[in-house]
Amino acid sequence: MNGTPEFSRPYRIDTIGEEPRGVHIEADAAERAALATRFGLVSIDSLSADATIRRDGTRIRAEGKLSGRAVQSCVATGDPIKARVDEHFSLRFDPEGEAADEELELDAGDLDVLPYEGGAIDLGEAVAQGFSLALDPFPRVADADQRLHAAGVIAEEEAERLRAETSPFAALKGLTKG
């Protein structure tokens, strides 16, 4: 992506101390509309985060919770589906190039490591990306399968069964059972 991110909330490194500092960020209507376009969503109704940030040498740690509401499109029918995200996050921002210099072994509960360049981190962009990743990548309305079947679209399992029954080998198999 070129230019400034849609939901940019930079924090200069020299203003972040070693003691945790609470911050609240919230996307306005224009930012949410731009993010919805980037992420291929119908809309984003809300997006915010409450976090504590603190400096640890040249690294910045951010922990908190992101919350948001969006409307996605069903991958099968195109119908709108409401989605809600309430996720805790734990991030570490490392100076560009520093994170690649050391080997990290991350467990599922470990923090995500993001690079930053210059003298600031962008908590808004990190929250926006976290929000996008927390959404269901393949949202489906509850009755999608029934509606697709009624429209003549068959399920993959049914297609496999039909292919097996109508293959030339199935016909040969029937001849040998005589």
Side-chain angles (χ1 to χ4, degrees):
M1 177 168 75
N2 297 327
T4 304
E6 301 88 341
F7 180 40
S8 184
R9 295 298 185 275
Y11 288 90
R12 286 188 17 211
I13 303 306
D14 61 359
T15 66
I16 302 172
E18 291 180 8
E19 292 299 316
R21 175 174 120 199
V23 297
H24 174 81
I25 60 174
E26 191 163 346
D28 65 26
E31 292 166 329
R32 293 190 315 267
L35 285 171
T37 299
R38 180 179 15 153
F39 297 140
L41 303 170
V42 174
S43 66
I44 297 176
D45 301 323
S46 67
L47 178 58
S48 64
D50 290 296
T52 58
I53 57 176
R54 68 178 177 85
R55 188 171 51 190
D56 184 9
T58 59
R59 295 179 167 147
I60 304 299
R61 296 189 185 270
E63 295 182 9
K65 183 177 181 180
L66 73 89
S67 300
R69 289 180 293 122
V71 178
Q72 298 179 272
S73 294
C74 172
V75 295
T77 66
D79 290 354
I81 301 173
K82 291 183 178 186
R84 181 178 194 96
V85 172
D86 288 301
E87 293 278 324
H88 289 277
F89 62 87
S90 187
L91 305 171
R92 187 179 84 199
F93 294 88
D94 286 357
E96 188 74 41
E98 188 174 306
D101 292 342
E102 71 177 70
E103 251 183 70
L104 294 175
E105 292 185 26
L106 296 178
D107 292 330
D110 285 339
L111 49 97
D112 290 322
V113 179
L114 302 171
Y116 74 86
E117 52 184 85
I121 63 164
D122 193 338
L123 187 58
E125 176 60 13
V127 165
Q129 289 180 18
F131 176 74
S132 172
L133 292 171
L135 292 169
D136 183 349
F138 304 105
R140 292 173 66 95
V141 292
D143 65 341
D145 290 337
Q146 295 87 354
R147 290 170 53 190
L148 289 173
H149 190 69
V153 178
I154 60 174
E156 185 62 31
E157 297 82 23
E158 190 174 345
E160 285 293 326
R161 183 184 55 77
L162 289 172
R163 278 193 286 271
E165 288 176 0
T166 59
S167 79
F169 297 110
L172 289 173
K173 189 176 179 182
L175 292 174
T176 61
K177 285 188 175 181

